[in-house]
Amino acid sequence: MARTAGDDDDDGPPPAYAAQRGPRRDPRLKDLGISCMLNTEVAALLAVIRRRPDPYSYLPPAVAAAEEATFAGLISSLKALRGLLFQPRHGAWRCSDPSTYLTPFLDVVQSEEAPPAATGVALSSVLKILRIDVFDECSPGARDAVHAILAALTNCRMERFADAGAEEAVLLRVLQVLAALLRARAAPLLSDSSVCTAVNTCFQIVQHAAGSRSSELLQRTARHCMHEILQAVFARLPDIRDGDGDGDDPAVLGGGSGAGFGARCMVDVFSFLCSLLLNASDMVATPDGQGAFTSEEDVMLFSLVLVNSAVELGGEAIGKHAKLLRLIQDDLFYHLIHYATEYSPLVLSMICSTALNLYHFLRRFLKLQLEAFFMFVLLRVCGGANGPQLQEVAVEGLISFIRQPTFVIEMYVNYDCDPLLRNVFEEVGKLLCKAAFPAAPGPMTPVQLQAFEGLVSMITTIADNVEVDKAPDHDAYAVDVSEFRLFWTERWDSSGGGGGAGTERETWVDFVRKRKLRKKKVAIAANHYNRDQKKGVEFLKLCHLVPTPPEPRSMAYFLRYSPGLDKNKIGEFLGDPDEFNLKVLKEFTETFDFTGAILDTALRTYLEAFRLPGESQKIQRILEAFSERFFEQQTTGVFATKDAAFILCYSLIMLNTDLHNPQVKKKMSEEDFIRNNRAINDKKDLPREYLSELFHSISTNAITVFSTSAAAAAEMTPSRWADLVKRSRAMEPFTPCDFKHKLSREVFVAVSGPAVATLAAIFDGADDEETLNQCVEGLVSVARIARYGLEDVLDEVLCCLCKFTTLLNPYATTEETLFTFSNELKPRMATLALFTIANRFGESVRGAWKNVVDCLLKLKRLKLLPPAVIDPDGGGGGRGGSSERPGGQGHRHRASTSDAGGGVIFPATHRGAGTSRHVSGMIGRFSQFLSLDSGGESLLSVGSEFENNLKIIQQCQVGAIFKESGKLPDEALQNLGRALIFAAGGKGQKFSTPIEEEETVGFCWDLLALLVSANLHRFATFWPPLLDCFNAVSQLPLFSPCPFAEKAIVALFRVAVRLVSAAAAAAPQRAVDTRVSEELVFKSINMMWKLDKEILDTCCEAISESIVRLLTEHAGGVQTPLGWKTLLHLLTVTGRHPETFDQSVAAMVKLMSDGGAHVTRFNYAAVIEAAFGFAALKISPLDVSTRILELMAESVNWLIQWHKSGYSDPGNSAGFSGGSSSSASSSSASSVEDASRMGNLAANMFIKLAEALRKTSLVRREEIRCQAVFELGRAFNLAAAGDLDLGPAGCLACFNLVIFAMVDDLTEKTLEYSRREGAERETRSMEGTLAAAAELLADVFVLLLPTLAQAPGFRTFWLGVLRRMDTCIKCDLAAGGGAGVMLELVPRMLKRMIMEMKAKEVLVPREGDELWEITHIQIQWIAPAVKDELFPE
């Protein structure tokens, strides 16, 4: 609402001029109101002027007339104004000349005769006119009016007021009018000089109020008015058009078009404020009446408040005006740095606030100034160099900077990545870590708490900005510097980046990262150079920091700008007379800019870069180079020649030594110095004033010629500041930037080590919930950053959290650990944070999986793990595996149900890249969740301690680590699996009882099976390294194979079931991977049972169950020979037990009875071997053994079928026959096209069958032996009937390896039993089997005779047949005393064989053929009864 004319609140704010709302008002009514207001003010002023001191006393007429004459002029002007107020005018008051109604009031203000009361009333009237905006900038005569008001205020004489109270009242009104004038709508019409006059007038009142010990009200009002005037002036700066401010153009400095005051007055006002900082000591009141302020600190605070206000209102517009900006760059920042540590914490706080505002608005122009402020003020004071009070304020100021959204990344990019500047961000980060680190036990100090808060804020800022939707590959973070660049002077050229804006920004990121890498390598090179100069140069070449061979300029930049380089080494190198060193010296000197500098300042700057060597010739060479550079850049023309500069430089060095060396007793005087330097300037004298100034400068401030101490660099000297200002003119400007992913990651790398150590130490020592929460938030933020290629940092975080869980304390008993976990907040928070990070960022965890697994096992021993961790329904990790579901549908259902159950940590989002800061938000509620106070509404506020602990562990979602491990990369997955294997092997574990050991090992293998189940698709990739761990585990000192191998083989069979079942449904293109995976798992199974063969007996039921399931349900998925061999071998071994025999033999019979659907030429031998095992088993019933033997004989049909089909396996997977990963199988499959190989392969498989039947013929049970002999003969008959081509060699092999061996073994057995007492029955039984075997020999001989006759060794073979016949008769004689059956059987068989040989013309008398003769001779010995019949004379 617009202010009315009747308002008389002089202390209120100025009215806002705005259009009136509501129904439109007649403008004449507003003008009438102004007229009434002015009439009232005139009447009041006339009344005050006419008022007598004592209205009741008599005043003679003459005296009264004299007094009336004194005020006649004032009264007449007021009366004239009153006569004009209500006369008709041609326009509104706003269109009238303000001098018409202002002049009478201003005359009273300036009048020396007017009483104080009248002056006060007149000032109140002017104030009211200004506040209600009777006129504005468009009113005619407004410019003259505002200047007239200011002139009246300036000319108001206070000396005439004898009463201090009256004087103070008038001064208060003057201040109010000044403030209102600068805030009025016509204020822009004031000139620059008028604004300066207003500021000066107000400051005089401030001084007067402070010096005359006026009331507190006047002092505060004067300072407040000064503040308001500054605000009104600088608030206009953003509206003034851009200008450099360097010239005298009033259009530029005054705002353009003569509009009124502009940047010029602001420059003068700001310069005045800076002078207040510089001359604060002169403003303090002294006994002789000089000064006005009570203390220097009062002056500093007063000026800093005004400066801060000016910067806040001017904002970024200050950067558009060069003179204002230069005041800040050159003067203000120097004062801020200089006075920051000399006064109270309040002054330092104001300085930090001012610096923060300057950073916020003008950092693009203050790169070096900000660096100096951080290095010389904040970092130094935060380090505690100036006491704890200032340290606390400095830390607060530093945290204010850190809270700026882009401060962290901007500091890193502009300073840490700039080779010419200090690592400001790294220094800030390390200082926060050092200040926050708890040096001693006990509560944290305020400084530590503040530094800790700043550290967490910094890490959280980086974490919030580092995240990306898809994390780059690990190699994408690598930076390669493969070529030399003079990067010290290199700048980013935005026009040089190719492509669009996106490419350009990425190129800038790469440019910054390479600069930082080079800067790091330069620091390393400096370290090498300090120890060995040659090694340092070689390292520079190796890292492409200097060319090969080095050139002078690059070497000079290395010496000039390398941090940490030994200044002695630099000086010695520069002073060396070698030609290359002289060139480097010249280039080194040219890196300095001495333009406009006086000689001693330039010399100080030059000698701060190195330590001047002690040898005079080296000093001479260095000073010559300096003198030449200074002479070239001198602007005053003092020196006529460079020799004059060189001589004076040498003279200054000598003067410095003379004046400041305590060993010199007689000091050089000024006259001596001037006399010593006569006629050196081309035979003329240098100006005496110039030499005198140099003398006094050296005498008051020594040049540190030979000092290597860092103390000299701790102060910002005027010469150092002058050099900084000069460098800032040519320095690359500050680059405002936002966070980029790769840069954000590298920002954290700079402080990762100290940050993690500090957070861990604070968490270890803290007890209050808030600090613990902040620590956990910080550690989780570290994990959010470290997930991007910083695996070592993430491992360190997890190791720290494992330690804080107290679960791994080797000295605590189980009861103590459980008590601590149940009753202390810290272990539970650490546990929850540990598994949260492992779940969220497991893809980047490497070695820390071991610690995580150890904590998990400890929780298992404490019985705190819920059963859902190993979920047999969904995870496939449950023991027994009887509830396996293809595809893991049960697992997914249960996982989603668990996630929906209100988990504190895990929302229903995936744990990959792109995790937002809700992770830390969840962590922030740890204490609320974990609080066990009965009065709170915690989730854990009900139930026993054990139940509460279980609820906490349930929130950890431990099972998700394994069930969702399919998202882990191979390396992380292998590390997790390796940790589980070594834990199962007992590494790092201590077991109190064998039961505990068995449960722990079994739990590890359950988790490993669960892990494999989630990663079946890449089993072939991640399992081989784990397979190598088995050998390493077996070599552990305390390795116990019994529980390890026992639990391992059961778990591995569950894995095999999943792999084989998945292989059956796999796509053909994945056939190779599935075969490799199958070989790996069965290789692992074989390794396990070979560690301890007794486990095949102890775990027979579980193993047999898995094998039976594989053979009955998933036999088609077994695709490797190793898989079949392992399965069938272990089936026979475990089937020896009565409890497993039935299911095992049933599976065997089913496999062989299914028409050979799953039997192939690759697993045929294993099938036959397994069948033999069951057939020969003692506990096998007769009908079972008989059935198996029949199936074995009938398997010849499979051989015939494969032989006829070219060895492809009908009814079986084609991939098995052609793509086995076994090299032997591959070579066999590739050669089956060779006809000769076909026969050999058939013979080999048939011989395998025949050998199995032969071995069965040796068992103790007669029925089985006879059945085996019978089935062997049947097999030969089937082979002959099916045209199975065994070939001559194959037929001979059948006799040599099978039939002959069987007859020999049975003969030996018969003789063995005959020698035993009481074994007549066994002897007769064995004789019967031998007779059957002998008869089989004859039958097969007759059957295969055509083929056998073609063999080249038939003669030898036939002798073997005769020898077996002879042995049978002798055995019969020895065993039965001549009453055996062999005496009858052998002649008959011989007769049959010889007659067949004759019929086939194999045995015929031929000349030169010994077969007839040999047979004739042998028959005489073996069966003389049939000799005549077979060989008649």
mmCIF file of all heavy atoms in Angstrom, residues 747-782:
data_model
loop_
_atom_site.group_PDB
_atom_site.id
_atom_site.type_symbol
_atom_site.label_atom_id
_atom_site.label_comp_id
_atom_site.label_asym_id
_atom_site.label_seq_id
_atom_site.Cartn_x
_atom_site.Cartn_y
_atom_site.Cartn_z
ATOM 1 N N VAL A 747 38.991 -36.584 -8.416
ATOM 2 C CA VAL A 747 38.965 -35.667 -7.274
ATOM 3 C C VAL A 747 39.042 -36.461 -5.977
ATOM 4 O O VAL A 747 39.807 -36.131 -5.062
ATOM 5 C CB VAL A 747 37.686 -34.807 -7.322
ATOM 6 C CG1 VAL A 747 37.470 -34.103 -5.996
ATOM 7 C CG2 VAL A 747 37.783 -33.778 -8.425
ATOM 8 N N PHE A 748 38.259 -37.511 -5.903
ATOM 9 C CA PHE A 748 38.254 -38.302 -4.670
ATOM 10 C C PHE A 748 39.555 -39.063 -4.487
ATOM 11 O O PHE A 748 40.007 -39.259 -3.351
ATOM 12 C CB PHE A 748 37.081 -39.280 -4.696
ATOM 13 C CG PHE A 748 37.045 -40.183 -3.504
ATOM 14 C CD1 PHE A 748 36.697 -39.699 -2.262
ATOM 15 C CD2 PHE A 748 37.389 -41.523 -3.624
ATOM 16 C CE1 PHE A 748 36.682 -40.529 -1.156
ATOM 17 C CE2 PHE A 748 37.380 -42.354 -2.527
ATOM 18 C CZ PHE A 748 37.021 -41.858 -1.286
ATOM 19 N N VAL A 749 40.173 -39.499 -5.567
ATOM 20 C CA VAL A 749 41.429 -40.249 -5.454
ATOM 21 C C VAL A 749 42.470 -39.432 -4.705
ATOM 22 O O VAL A 749 43.273 -39.979 -3.937
ATOM 23 C CB VAL A 749 41.933 -40.633 -6.862
ATOM 24 C CG1 VAL A 749 43.338 -41.207 -6.788
ATOM 25 C CG2 VAL A 749 40.998 -41.654 -7.492
ATOM 26 N N ALA A 750 42.432 -38.103 -4.896
ATOM 27 C CA ALA A 750 43.442 -37.254 -4.265
ATOM 28 C C ALA A 750 43.385 -37.307 -2.741
ATOM 29 O O ALA A 750 44.401 -37.082 -2.079
ATOM 30 C CB ALA A 750 43.271 -35.812 -4.749
ATOM 31 N N VAL A 751 42.213 -37.612 -2.168
ATOM 32 C CA VAL A 751 42.079 -37.599 -0.699
ATOM 33 C C VAL A 751 41.529 -38.910 -0.173
ATOM 34 O O VAL A 751 41.133 -38.990 1.001
ATOM 35 C CB VAL A 751 41.154 -36.432 -0.262
ATOM 36 C CG1 VAL A 751 41.768 -35.094 -0.621
ATOM 37 C CG2 VAL A 751 39.776 -36.562 -0.897
ATOM 38 N N SER A 752 41.489 -39.941 -0.992
ATOM 39 C CA SER A 752 40.809 -41.178 -0.590
ATOM 40 C C SER A 752 41.456 -41.824 0.629
ATOM 41 O O SER A 752 40.760 -42.234 1.567
ATOM 42 C CB SER A 752 40.792 -42.159 -1.771
ATOM 43 O OG SER A 752 42.110 -42.462 -2.198
ATOM 44 N N GLY A 753 42.778 -41.931 0.623
ATOM 45 C CA GLY A 753 43.451 -42.610 1.733
ATOM 46 C C GLY A 753 43.201 -41.947 3.073
ATOM 47 O O GLY A 753 42.689 -42.579 4.020
ATOM 48 N N PRO A 754 43.550 -40.655 3.222
ATOM 49 C CA PRO A 754 43.276 -39.991 4.513
ATOM 50 C C PRO A 754 41.804 -39.944 4.868
ATOM 51 O O PRO A 754 41.450 -40.035 6.042
ATOM 52 C CB PRO A 754 43.836 -38.575 4.290
ATOM 53 C CG PRO A 754 44.799 -38.694 3.163
ATOM 54 C CD PRO A 754 44.283 -39.782 2.296
ATOM 55 N N ALA A 755 40.935 -39.813 3.876
ATOM 56 C CA ALA A 755 39.502 -39.707 4.167
ATOM 57 C C ALA A 755 38.977 -40.997 4.789
ATOM 58 O O ALA A 755 38.276 -40.960 5.811
ATOM 59 C CB ALA A 755 38.735 -39.382 2.890
ATOM 60 N N VAL A 756 39.311 -42.127 4.202
ATOM 61 C CA VAL A 756 38.832 -43.403 4.739
ATOM 62 C C VAL A 756 39.421 -43.650 6.128
ATOM 63 O O VAL A 756 38.718 -44.089 7.050
ATOM 64 C CB VAL A 756 39.183 -44.552 3.775
ATOM 65 C CG1 VAL A 756 38.812 -45.897 4.397
ATOM 66 C CG2 VAL A 756 38.469 -44.379 2.446
ATOM 67 N N ALA A 757 40.707 -43.357 6.288
ATOM 68 C CA ALA A 757 41.335 -43.562 7.592
ATOM 69 C C ALA A 757 40.692 -42.682 8.661
ATOM 70 O O ALA A 757 40.468 -43.122 9.800
ATOM 71 C CB ALA A 757 42.832 -43.275 7.486
ATOM 72 N N THR A 758 40.368 -41.446 8.299
ATOM 73 C CA THR A 758 39.760 -40.529 9.267
ATOM 74 C C THR A 758 38.359 -40.978 9.643
ATOM 75 O O THR A 758 37.989 -41.001 10.832
ATOM 76 C CB THR A 758 39.719 -39.108 8.682
ATOM 77 O OG1 THR A 758 41.054 -38.697 8.353
ATOM 78 C CG2 THR A 758 39.125 -38.137 9.676
ATOM 79 N N LEU A 759 37.553 -41.320 8.659
ATOM 80 C CA LEU A 759 36.189 -41.784 8.956
ATOM 81 C C LEU A 759 36.210 -43.042 9.820
ATOM 82 O O LEU A 759 35.409 -43.188 10.750
ATOM 83 C CB LEU A 759 35.442 -42.050 7.650
ATOM 84 C CG LEU A 759 35.101 -40.826 6.788
ATOM 85 C CD1 LEU A 759 34.486 -41.257 5.470
ATOM 86 C CD2 LEU A 759 34.172 -39.891 7.531
ATOM 87 N N ALA A 760 37.138 -43.940 9.507
ATOM 88 C CA ALA A 760 37.234 -45.168 10.300
ATOM 89 C C ALA A 760 37.650 -44.867 11.737
ATOM 90 O O ALA A 760 37.107 -45.441 12.694
ATOM 91 C CB ALA A 760 38.222 -46.128 9.645
ATOM 92 N N ALA A 761 38.616 -43.961 11.903
ATOM 93 C CA ALA A 761 39.067 -43.630 13.256
ATOM 94 C C ALA A 761 37.969 -42.945 14.057
ATOM 95 O O ALA A 761 37.798 -43.214 15.257
ATOM 96 C CB ALA A 761 40.303 -42.731 13.170
ATOM 97 N N ILE A 762 37.205 -42.066 13.422
ATOM 98 C CA ILE A 762 36.116 -41.390 14.133
ATOM 99 C C ILE A 762 35.023 -42.388 14.503
ATOM 100 O O ILE A 762 34.484 -42.361 15.620
ATOM 101 C CB ILE A 762 35.556 -40.247 13.263
ATOM 102 C CG1 ILE A 762 36.625 -39.162 13.078
ATOM 103 C CG2 ILE A 762 34.307 -39.643 13.889
ATOM 104 C CD1 ILE A 762 36.222 -38.071 12.111
ATOM 105 N N PHE A 763 34.693 -43.270 13.580
ATOM 106 C CA PHE A 763 33.681 -44.289 13.873
ATOM 107 C C PHE A 763 34.134 -45.190 15.016
ATOM 108 O O PHE A 763 33.326 -45.592 15.864
ATOM 109 C CB PHE A 763 33.413 -45.116 12.615
ATOM 110 C CG PHE A 763 32.250 -46.043 12.738
ATOM 111 C CD1 PHE A 763 30.968 -45.614 12.447
ATOM 112 C CD2 PHE A 763 32.427 -47.357 13.143
ATOM 113 C CE1 PHE A 763 29.884 -46.463 12.562
ATOM 114 C CE2 PHE A 763 31.356 -48.218 13.261
ATOM 115 C CZ PHE A 763 30.075 -47.773 12.975
ATOM 116 N N ASP A 764 35.407 -45.470 15.050
ATOM 117 C CA ASP A 764 35.943 -46.343 16.101
ATOM 118 C C ASP A 764 35.843 -45.696 17.470
ATOM 119 O O ASP A 764 35.575 -46.371 18.471
ATOM 120 C CB ASP A 764 37.394 -46.685 15.773
ATOM 121 C CG ASP A 764 37.927 -47.788 16.665
ATOM 122 O OD1 ASP A 764 37.115 -48.525 17.257
ATOM 123 O OD2 ASP A 764 39.161 -47.925 16.773
ATOM 124 N N GLY A 765 36.040 -44.376 17.511
ATOM 125 C CA GLY A 765 36.051 -43.711 18.811
ATOM 126 C C GLY A 765 34.764 -43.048 19.207
ATOM 127 O O GLY A 765 34.616 -42.611 20.352
ATOM 128 N N ALA A 766 33.805 -42.941 18.288
ATOM 129 C CA ALA A 766 32.569 -42.221 18.580
ATOM 130 C C ALA A 766 31.585 -43.102 19.337
ATOM 131 O O ALA A 766 31.603 -44.332 19.209
ATOM 132 C CB ALA A 766 31.932 -41.713 17.287
ATOM 133 N N ASP A 767 30.725 -42.437 20.091
ATOM 134 C CA ASP A 767 29.691 -43.137 20.834
ATOM 135 C C ASP A 767 28.292 -42.599 20.547
ATOM 136 O O ASP A 767 27.316 -43.339 20.694
ATOM 137 C CB ASP A 767 29.952 -43.042 22.347
ATOM 138 C CG ASP A 767 31.215 -43.792 22.753
ATOM 139 O OD1 ASP A 767 31.452 -44.886 22.189
ATOM 140 O OD2 ASP A 767 31.953 -43.294 23.609
ATOM 141 N N ASP A 768 28.183 -41.331 20.192
ATOM 142 C CA ASP A 768 26.854 -40.757 19.971
ATOM 143 C C ASP A 768 26.316 -41.166 18.611
ATOM 144 O O ASP A 768 27.056 -41.354 17.639
ATOM 145 C CB ASP A 768 26.901 -39.236 20.085
ATOM 146 C CG ASP A 768 27.836 -38.621 19.065
ATOM 147 O OD1 ASP A 768 29.057 -38.902 19.161
ATOM 148 O OD2 ASP A 768 27.367 -37.903 18.167
ATOM 149 N N GLU A 769 25.011 -41.274 18.530
ATOM 150 C CA GLU A 769 24.365 -41.788 17.327
ATOM 151 C C GLU A 769 24.565 -40.870 16.134
ATOM 152 O O GLU A 769 24.748 -41.334 15.001
ATOM 153 C CB GLU A 769 22.870 -41.977 17.597
ATOM 154 C CG GLU A 769 22.558 -43.061 18.597
ATOM 155 C CD GLU A 769 21.057 -43.263 18.749
ATOM 156 O OE1 GLU A 769 20.318 -42.680 17.940
ATOM 157 O OE2 GLU A 769 20.646 -43.984 19.662
ATOM 158 N N GLU A 770 24.510 -39.560 16.352
ATOM 159 C CA GLU A 770 24.616 -38.628 15.230
ATOM 160 C C GLU A 770 25.964 -38.761 14.540
ATOM 161 O O GLU A 770 26.049 -38.808 13.307
ATOM 162 C CB GLU A 770 24.402 -37.199 15.721
ATOM 163 C CG GLU A 770 24.435 -36.176 14.594
ATOM 164 C CD GLU A 770 24.180 -34.771 15.094
ATOM 165 O OE1 GLU A 770 23.940 -34.607 16.319
ATOM 166 O OE2 GLU A 770 24.241 -33.847 14.282
ATOM 167 N N THR A 771 27.022 -38.826 15.327
ATOM 168 C CA THR A 771 28.351 -38.976 14.733
ATOM 169 C C THR A 771 28.484 -40.318 14.023
ATOM 170 O O THR A 771 29.052 -40.396 12.922
ATOM 171 C CB THR A 771 29.430 -38.850 15.820
ATOM 172 O OG1 THR A 771 29.296 -37.600 16.491
ATOM 173 C CG2 THR A 771 30.827 -38.939 15.212
ATOM 174 N N LEU A 772 27.965 -41.364 14.622
ATOM 175 C CA LEU A 772 28.024 -42.679 13.976
ATOM 176 C C LEU A 772 27.252 -42.672 12.655
ATOM 177 O O LEU A 772 27.703 -43.236 11.656
ATOM 178 C CB LEU A 772 27.463 -43.745 14.906
ATOM 179 C CG LEU A 772 28.297 -44.059 16.162
ATOM 180 C CD1 LEU A 772 27.554 -45.038 17.057
ATOM 181 C CD2 LEU A 772 29.655 -44.626 15.783
ATOM 182 N N ASN A 773 26.115 -42.020 12.651
ATOM 183 C CA ASN A 773 25.335 -41.931 11.421
ATOM 184 C C ASN A 773 26.100 -41.190 10.339
ATOM 185 O O ASN A 773 26.113 -41.599 9.175
ATOM 186 C CB ASN A 773 24.007 -41.225 11.691
ATOM 187 C CG ASN A 773 22.922 -42.189 12.124
ATOM 188 O OD1 ASN A 773 22.775 -43.256 11.558
ATOM 189 N ND2 ASN A 773 22.174 -41.824 13.144
ATOM 190 N N GLN A 774 26.734 -40.089 10.706
ATOM 191 C CA GLN A 774 27.500 -39.321 9.729
ATOM 192 C C GLN A 774 28.685 -40.138 9.219
ATOM 193 O O GLN A 774 29.014 -40.078 8.021
ATOM 194 C CB GLN A 774 27.988 -38.014 10.348
ATOM 195 C CG GLN A 774 26.887 -36.984 10.539
ATOM 196 C CD GLN A 774 27.421 -35.678 11.095
ATOM 197 O OE1 GLN A 774 28.335 -35.659 11.916
ATOM 198 N NE2 GLN A 774 26.855 -34.576 10.655
ATOM 199 N N CYS A 775 29.306 -40.890 10.102
ATOM 200 C CA CYS A 775 30.425 -41.734 9.671
ATOM 201 C C CYS A 775 29.962 -42.772 8.656
ATOM 202 O O CYS A 775 30.605 -42.979 7.617
ATOM 203 C CB CYS A 775 31.055 -42.432 10.877
ATOM 204 S SG CYS A 775 32.165 -41.414 11.841
ATOM 205 N N VAL A 776 28.862 -43.419 8.955
ATOM 206 C CA VAL A 776 28.355 -44.439 8.042
ATOM 207 C C VAL A 776 27.960 -43.799 6.717
ATOM 208 O O VAL A 776 28.219 -44.353 5.635
ATOM 209 C CB VAL A 776 27.167 -45.185 8.681
ATOM 210 C CG1 VAL A 776 26.515 -46.106 7.677
ATOM 211 C CG2 VAL A 776 27.642 -45.980 9.885
ATOM 212 N N GLU A 777 27.336 -42.635 6.792
ATOM 213 C CA GLU A 777 26.977 -41.939 5.550
ATOM 214 C C GLU A 777 28.230 -41.624 4.735
ATOM 215 O O GLU A 777 28.245 -41.781 3.511
ATOM 216 C CB GLU A 777 26.220 -40.655 5.878
ATOM 217 C CG GLU A 777 25.794 -39.882 4.639
ATOM 218 C CD GLU A 777 25.050 -38.604 4.980
ATOM 219 O OE1 GLU A 777 24.782 -38.381 6.176
ATOM 220 O OE2 GLU A 777 24.739 -37.832 4.058
ATOM 221 N N GLY A 778 29.280 -41.179 5.427
ATOM 222 C CA GLY A 778 30.516 -40.906 4.714
ATOM 223 C C GLY A 778 31.132 -42.146 4.103
ATOM 224 O O GLY A 778 31.598 -42.125 2.954
ATOM 225 N N LEU A 779 31.133 -43.251 4.846
ATOM 226 C CA LEU A 779 31.707 -44.485 4.315
ATOM 227 C C LEU A 779 30.896 -45.029 3.143
ATOM 228 O O LEU A 779 31.456 -45.537 2.169
ATOM 229 C CB LEU A 779 31.789 -45.529 5.437
ATOM 230 C CG LEU A 779 32.827 -45.242 6.529
ATOM 231 C CD1 LEU A 779 32.693 -46.236 7.676
ATOM 232 C CD2 LEU A 779 34.244 -45.288 5.967
ATOM 233 N N VAL A 780 29.581 -44.918 3.224
ATOM 234 C CA VAL A 780 28.752 -45.350 2.099
ATOM 235 C C VAL A 780 28.994 -44.454 0.892
ATOM 236 O O VAL A 780 29.039 -44.922 -0.253
ATOM 237 C CB VAL A 780 27.265 -45.365 2.497
ATOM 238 C CG1 VAL A 780 26.382 -45.625 1.286
ATOM 239 C CG2 VAL A 780 27.011 -46.427 3.553
ATOM 240 N N SER A 781 29.167 -43.159 1.128
ATOM 241 C CA SER A 781 29.490 -42.253 0.015
ATOM 242 C C SER A 781 30.830 -42.613 -0.603
ATOM 243 O O SER A 781 31.001 -42.549 -1.830
ATOM 244 C CB SER A 781 29.494 -40.804 0.508
ATOM 245 O OG SER A 781 28.219 -40.403 0.960
ATOM 246 N N VAL A 782 31.788 -42.982 0.234
ATOM 247 C CA VAL A 782 33.076 -43.438 -0.295
ATOM 248 C C VAL A 782 32.874 -44.660 -1.182
ATOM 249 O O VAL A 782 33.462 -44.778 -2.269
ATOM 250 C CB VAL A 782 34.046 -43.755 0.864
ATOM 251 C CG1 VAL A 782 35.290 -44.463 0.342
ATOM 252 C CG2 VAL A 782 34.452 -42.478 1.572
#
